Amino acid sequence: MTLNTLMKPLLIAGLLVSTLVQAAPSAQQVLEASPVDDIVVQYPAMMGQGIRDGLKQRAQVPPMVADTIAYVVQNSFRPEEIKRKIASNLGASLSDEQLTKVHDWYQKPVAKKIARAEVAASAPAIWPQIRKKAAELNELNKGTDREARFDRFDRAARATESAVDTAIALQLGLSSAMAAVRGEPANPDETRQQLEAQRPALQGVVGKQVYDSYLYTYQKITPKEMEMYLEFLESDAGQQFTKVVAESVQQAVTEPIENIGNQLARFRNLGKENAQ
């Protein structure tokens, strides 16, 4: 038996091992590598706090009722279900090459630094700090590269677009909740039409909030690091990843809306029964 014959099985085995090592990461692995995984864990609290703040600021209902509605909203979302949906959609929509590129990006030190900043800024407890520092950060960043890069970031990350869609979904849920509290029939189609008519004005308001959040979140990210991040977001893999995540989260927000109204209706009926 020649040396060449002996080497062939080893070469084949080596190629197989190489293939396994270079196999594309799974959608679940990509999700876990990204900050989305940790942000989704906070999503129920974010939704509940958003509803609570909105109702109390407008004084639409007594504080106790606002807290009850926020509680129902918060408990209508399951982070693990949202993550399963995102992972499933990523697996169905991204190629192996795209999954690999996204995973590779989130292994880089700069990506980990940016991810930590994004996760920290998404916590509801930080929102008052973002509002408090907004005027100061707006003034500090006038005419800077950070200000100039915002439009690119906003387009690439779909930040304002996604926030407006989520705000409309929240308003639909809130409308359903308020109808249940009042014992009135909900009309989600009519409410959606009204909200869609307000989309241009909503984009202006939400866009300002997104900019304030952008300045706060990335204040310790250098211009060079931000440029690297933008290049990832603007890449084919980054665009597809962002699109699928945004659409998946949007589905996760809208699907429990009817359930929220039903739960609040049961709370209302139970209150009537106890009062009798």
Side-chain angles (χ1 to χ4, degrees), residues 170-224:
L170 272 171
Q171 286 295 322
L172 280 169
L174 185 57
S175 174
S176 173
M178 294 302 297
V181 169
R182 299 188 186 104
E184 301 170 352
N187 193 336
D189 290 337
E190 181 180 339
T191 303
R192 179 177 287 280
Q193 288 179 359
Q194 292 172 349
L195 290 169
E196 287 294 343
Q198 299 171 17
R199 181 179 284 270
L202 192 57
Q203 284 177 325
V205 174
V206 172
K208 177 62 171 62
Q209 294 173 347
V210 169
Y211 181 61
D212 293 343
S213 179
Y214 159 84
L215 292 180
Y216 182 92
T217 302
Y218 304 109
Q219 58 185 313
K220 294 183 180 179
I221 306 302
T222 68
K224 182 179 179 180

Side-chain angles (χ1 to χ4, degrees), residues 23-55:
S26 68
Q28 183 64 36
Q29 289 173 320
V30 171
L31 178 61
E32 290 172 356
S34 78
V36 176
D37 189 61
D38 291 320
I39 291 173
V40 165
V41 172
Q42 302 185 81
Y43 216 75
M46 292 164 66
M47 298 289 286
Q49 190 62 45
I51 290 287
R52 185 181 291 108
D53 289 348
L55 287 174

Side-chain angles (χ1 to χ4, degrees), residues 18 21-22 78 81 106 130-131 143 155 190 202 213 215 223 244 246 248 254 257 276:
S18 176
V21 169
Q22 295 177 11
R78 299 285 182 270
E81 292 178 9
Y106 282 115
I130 294 175
R131 290 192 290 266
R155 285 193 301 270
E190 181 180 339
L202 192 57
S213 179
L215 292 180
V244 172
S248 299
T254 56
I257 284 176
Q276 290 176 354

Side-chain angles (χ1 to χ4, degrees), residues 73-270:
V73 169
Q74 186 165 332
N75 285 275
S76 295
F77 297 93
R78 299 285 182 270
E80 290 308 316
E81 292 178 9
I82 298 173
K83 287 194 277 188
R84 277 195 293 272
K85 181 184 291 294
I86 294 173
S88 176
N89 290 345
L90 286 173
S93 303
L94 271 69
S95 66
D96 286 350
E97 182 182 3
Q98 288 172 325
L99 288 171
T100 299
K101 287 182 178 179
V102 175
H103 190 267
D104 287 351
W105 160 255
Y106 282 115
Q107 299 309 306
K108 295 179 179 180
V110 63
K112 292 180 183 294
K113 177 183 177 181
I114 291 170
R116 287 193 296 270
E118 291 176 338
V119 172
S122 69
I126 299 298
W127 295 355
Q129 183 69 10
I130 294 175
R131 290 192 290 266
K132 183 179 178 180
K133 293 198 68 175
E136 175 190 345
L137 289 174
N138 271 257
E139 187 62 31
L140 283 173
N141 286 281
K142 281 184 178 179
T144 65
D145 286 343
R146 196 179 307 280
E147 180 186 52
R149 283 188 172 94
F150 174 70
D151 286 341
R152 278 180 66 195
F153 166 81
D154 197 26
R155 285 193 301 270
R158 299 170 182 263
T160 298
E161 176 187 343
S162 297
V164 169
D165 287 340
T166 301
I168 288 176
L170 272 171
Q171 286 295 322
L172 280 169
L174 185 57
S175 174
S176 173
M178 294 302 297
V181 169
R182 299 188 186 104
E184 301 170 352
N187 193 336
D189 290 337
E190 181 180 339
T191 303
R192 179 177 287 280
Q193 288 179 359
Q194 292 172 349
L195 290 169
E196 287 294 343
Q198 299 171 17
R199 181 179 284 270
L202 192 57
Q203 284 177 325
V205 174
V206 172
K208 177 62 171 62
Q209 294 173 347
V210 169
Y211 181 61
D212 293 343
S213 179
Y214 159 84
L215 292 180
Y216 182 92
T217 302
Y218 304 109
Q219 58 185 313
K220 294 183 180 179
I221 306 302
T222 68
K224 182 179 179 180
E225 290 169 337
M226 200 66 197
E227 184 64 27
M228 293 170 66
Y229 187 31
L230 287 172
E231 288 174 0
F232 163 70
L233 290 175
E234 291 170 340
S235 70
D236 177 65
Q239 284 285 284
Q240 187 67 0
F241 175 75
T242 302
K243 177 177 181 290
V244 172
V245 169
E247 290 176 351
S248 299
V249 169
Q250 190 59 34
Q251 290 172 12
V253 171
T254 56
E255 285 175 357
I257 284 176
E258 183 177 348
N259 185 44
I260 291 170
N262 292 337
Q263 288 186 62
L264 287 166
R266 286 198 294 273
F267 270 109
R268 180 175 179 276
N269 293 334
L270 181 61

